[in-house]
Amino acid sequence: MLRRLLQQRLLRPVSIMQLLTGVPRFIFFTGKGGVGKTSLACATAVQLAESGRRVLLVSTDPASNVGQVFGHDIGYRITPVQGVLGLDALEIDPEQAAESYRERTLAPVRNLLSAADLASVTEQLSGSCTTEIASFNEFTSLLSDDHDTSGYDHVVFDTAPTGHTVRLLQLPGEWTSFLNDGRGDASCLGPMSGLEKTRASYAAALSALADPTRTRLVLVARPDPSSLGEAARTSAELAATGIGATHLVINGLLPDEQVSDALADAIRRREAATLNDLPAELAGLRTDRVALVDHNIVGVEALSTLLAPPRPMDASADVPPPPPVTALPDLASVVDDLAAADHGLIMCMGKGGVGKTTIAAAIATALAARGKSVHLTTTDPAAHLADALGGDTGEITVSRIDPDQATRDYRDRVMATKGANLDDDGRAALAEDLLSPCTEEVAVFQAFSLAVAEAAQRFVVIDTAPTGHTLLLMDATGSYHREIVRNMAAGMHFTTPMMRLQDPGYTKVIIVTLPETTPVLEAGQLQADLERADIHPWCWVVNQTLTGTGTGSPMLRRRAANEADQLAAVAHQAARVALVPLQAEAPVGHDRLADLGRALQPV
């Protein structure tokens, strides 16, 4: 019976979206966090499989939720997707990839090295640089080696949020150049030990990425200026590496309805204005538009219809009553509690696209309005705090831990200190070693550590990178802490960045989420990961709720009704909760950020 139903599904006509016309072997989905890359990648994989193709769906996101979308475990192994003939999936796990990489590197020399030398090489293989290389090798092997993919017509990649995907796609070129120039020793001895063997793999991956007949790069965005601006920047950055985006999907457009209200009308006006003013970098791309739906995109049936032509809304369908407007915990009360102190570290963390940048900017603005000294910064390569602030920083110090600038500063600092007493040959060797892509990971960690330390004198609000990459940064922080502890003499006093993150009097971790199934599940997983490191989140902020708006739109009311279970799940897990409702106007600029915490009234 199941096989017959599945065979019948294969006969369904696929959608006529440009995205699915003439699909090459590889297809990448990338974009700002939370724009729907995973849903679109999964739906594309399902459509291709239902048309009779053999498809492998791969997630390169450290915080992958492909398994949650399909309703069963996927994990770090090629796994058949239940209910879809011809579709397999794989979630690349950075930690498992790094462990496998370490074992492959150490196994041939474990019995040849002394205990001290083995410990040294093992330590060199324990950092975030090794994790990056290991994940990168998994990615490039899928592009360049037919061993795992020869049986598939298509390989669909669901990637990490933009900044980290750009980094991933740039790596084949960076490592190929690094190897071709004959560099790599000293600080990269452990990680570099296996790179020479994969020179051909990197070159083949770079060739595949740059060939539009083999690889389709799809930019995904929401119909808002920030998301489309990020897509435009991504397109330009990738073009500079020889990789050209070909398609754009604008996801989550609010459909027309027979009944509407002020909030829905304002959203549609905002979306229309945005689409009429697309960035020039996107104007030439083949573009598809996908409508917002009133349910969670979970399960094969929902995925099968996501890319189909939209159906008219059924006006006779049951419409829930308007969501209540009640006294809800708001952001202003959270800031009041934070402002009881005069300094401290505030870290906004969570899945990409949940609004961490907006919430961080709103908290910084509110603290500054209360007379506090505030430094607002970000560790997210794709974040643009100036956009959130509308160009008006007021009394707030604003910065960005930019990987390129942090790396330049780190190289200059090392050359001025360790290189000061070296001869010309020694300085040349040190400078060459510092050109390794590994250096960036060390530099970003050091810049982050300086921001953590600054919170002893003022408020430092950090807008972090999306979950998976922030956890890698936390891992680097823990590795540094363990190294300091191991080398400190008994009785010596010291304070590491990890100790400050674990101090609830010094650090307040705020988890930002959305009132939807997957973001709430991922927020709970993030909290569990942090608590294993003895870092205990102080508050959860549920952003863009429809609860509290009093909307009359049937579409938005259905979505609001779906929020109740998720808000109950948040209340069960969080020590403190604040709700921030969906805004009729984008919360950009000082005045709207200042109002964000007080907006729990009908619009």
Side-chain angles (χ1 to χ4, degrees):
M1 174 63 75
L2 176 60
R3 177 170 293 275
R4 185 161 59 250
L5 290 172
L6 293 173
Q7 289 171 340
Q8 290 171 356
R9 180 175 285 162
L10 291 177
L11 300 177
R12 293 179 183 174
V14 299
S15 93
I16 56 173
M17 293 183 69
Q18 297 186 75
L19 167 67
L20 293 173
T21 302
V23 181
R25 182 138 194 267
F26 303 111
I27 180 167
F28 280 84
F29 288 86
T30 188
K32 186 179 173 70
V35 295
K37 295 186 301 296
T38 297
S39 296
L40 288 168
C42 292
T44 297
V46 168
Q47 288 263 18
L48 291 171
E50 290 182 342
S51 68
R53 313 290 180 84
R54 284 280 295 154
V55 183
L56 176 63
L57 172 64
V58 180
S59 174
T60 66
D61 189 346
S64 174
N65 64 327
V66 167
Q68 294 167 355
V69 171
F70 283 109
H72 66 91
D73 290 340
I74 302 295
Y76 185 43
R77 65 198 182 287
I78 293 179
T79 303
V81 173
Q82 297 171 11
V84 187
L85 288 177
L87 177 58
D88 296 337
L90 167 69
E91 295 174 318
I92 295 177
D93 184 299
E95 292 306 318
Q96 291 187 50
E99 182 57 36
S100 297
Y101 182 87
R102 280 190 286 269
E103 182 56 29
R104 288 196 305 271
T105 303
L106 291 172
V109 300
R110 184 170 280 116
N111 296 324
L112 303 176
L113 297 178
S114 68
D117 288 340
L118 182 62
S120 176
V121 175
T122 301
E123 181 62 32
Q124 291 175 36
L125 287 166
S126 65
S128 57
C129 181
T130 296
T131 302
E132 179 182 71
I133 292 171
S135 298
F136 162 59
N137 282 348
E138 297 285 329
F139 161 72
T140 54
S141 69
L142 293 169
L143 286 169
S144 60
D145 186 353
D146 281 342
H147 180 267
D148 290 329
T149 63
S150 60
Y152 297 100
D153 300 301
H154 302 286
V155 183
V156 179
F157 290 88
D158 168 36
T159 69
T162 303
H164 300 281
T165 295
V166 170
R167 169 72 174 156
L168 182 68
L169 296 180
Q170 288 172 338
L171 276 171
E174 290 187 15
W175 281 115
T176 298
S177 297
F178 193 71
L179 291 172
N180 287 341
D181 292 343
R183 301 167 182 157
D185 51 54
S187 67
C188 281
L189 176 62
M192 285 293 296
S193 61
L195 287 176
E196 183 66 31
K197 300 175 184 177
T198 53
R199 181 196 299 260
S201 175
Y202 295 169
L206 188 60
S207 175
L209 289 169
D211 183 354
T213 67
R214 298 166 63 193
T215 301
R216 173 167 295 174
L217 183 62
V218 182
L219 300 174
V220 183
R222 291 282 185 179
D224 68 73
S226 173
S227 181
L228 287 163
E230 180 63 30
R233 284 188 286 268
T234 300
S235 180
E237 288 176 0
L238 291 176
T241 70
I243 302 170
T246 57
H247 288 64
L248 171 69
V249 176
I250 301 174
N251 188 32
L253 285 154
L254 186 62
D256 290 331
E257 300 174 281
Q258 293 179 342
V259 179
S260 192
D261 74 341
L263 177 60
D265 289 341
I267 292 172
R268 291 191 190 93
R269 286 194 300 271
R270 192 167 73 210
E271 291 178 349
T274 299
L275 296 181
N276 286 333
D277 191 26
L278 281 179
E281 295 88 344
L282 306 179
L285 300 181
R286 300 177 69 182
T287 301
D288 291 306
R289 300 180 181 185
V290 177
L292 183 71
V293 296
D294 58 8
H295 54 274
N296 289 319
I297 305 299
V298 175
V300 173
E301 194 62 36
L303 291 166
S304 295
T305 60
L306 180 62
L307 300 181
R311 292 176 297 182
M313 295 285 293
D314 184 358
S316 65
D318 290 338
V319 177
V325 181
T326 56
L328 299 171
D330 58 25
L331 201 59
S333 61
V334 169
V335 176
D336 287 341
D337 291 342
L338 292 170
D342 288 321
H343 65 87
L345 181 68
I346 301 166
M347 294 185 67
C348 292
M349 302 178 67
K351 173 182 166 65
V354 296
K356 294 185 302 295
T357 301
T358 297
I359 298 303
I363 290 172
T365 298
L367 287 171
R370 289 163 171 77
K372 306 296 183 179
S373 176
V374 182
H375 177 190
L376 173 63
T377 189
T378 182
T379 65
D380 187 349
H384 296 270
L385 294 173
D387 292 348
L389 292 165
D392 179 14
T393 61
E395 300 299 318
I396 303 170
T397 300
V398 178
S399 70
R400 177 170 175 250
I401 299 178
D402 177 72
D404 292 336
Q405 185 60 51
T407 303
R408 287 192 293 270
D409 292 344
Y410 176 77
R411 287 170 178 154
D412 291 344
R413 189 163 58 251
V414 172
M415 291 301 297
T417 52
K418 292 185 178 181
N421 298 319
L422 298 177
D423 58 21
D424 289 345
D425 289 343
R427 286 179 60 81
L430 179 60
E432 186 173 279
D433 187 42
L434 288 170
L435 291 175
S436 160
C438 292
T439 303
E440 179 179 305
E441 307 304 322
V442 178
V444 169
F445 166 68
Q446 289 203 356
F448 169 72
S449 298
L450 289 174
V452 171
E454 185 185 353
Q457 285 80 43
R458 65 194 302 196
F459 279 108
V460 176
V461 182
I462 300 182
D463 163 40
T464 68
T467 300
H469 300 282
T470 295
L471 290 176
L472 292 179
L473 182 59
M474 295 295 99
D475 181 62
T477 306
S479 297
Y480 176 78
H481 171 77
R482 290 188 293 273
E483 178 69 12
I484 293 297
V485 171
R486 185 164 52 246
N487 290 287
M488 279 290 180
M492 290 188 66
H493 175 74
F494 60 91
T495 301
T496 67
M498 177 59 79
M499 293 166 67
R500 284 176 161 147
L501 296 180
Q502 293 170 334
D503 180 358
Y506 190 94
T507 299
K508 301 290 190 296
V509 172
I510 296 177
I511 293 180
V512 185
T513 189
L514 298 175
E516 300 170 11
T517 303
T518 297
V520 170
L521 284 171
E522 292 188 347
Q525 292 167 356
L526 171 60
Q527 177 161 284
D529 288 335
L530 291 170
E531 287 180 338
R532 280 193 289 272
D534 201 23
I535 300 171
H536 302 280
W538 180 74
C539 176
W540 285 33
V541 172
V542 186
N543 193 25
Q544 299 180 16
T545 67
L546 289 162
T547 302
T549 64
T551 180
S553 157
M555 162 67 80
L556 298 183
R557 280 161 60 174
R558 290 189 183 98
R559 289 181 65 88
N562 291 335
E563 292 180 356
D565 289 344
Q566 303 312 315
L567 294 180
V570 169
H572 179 71
Q573 298 175 79
R576 179 186 277 100
V577 180
L579 270 59
V580 176
L582 182 67
Q583 306 293 296
E585 301 297 332
V588 174
H590 185 276
D591 291 342
R592 286 179 181 161
L593 287 171
D595 289 340
L596 198 60
R598 301 190 295 271
L600 293 170
Q601 299 296 327
V603 293

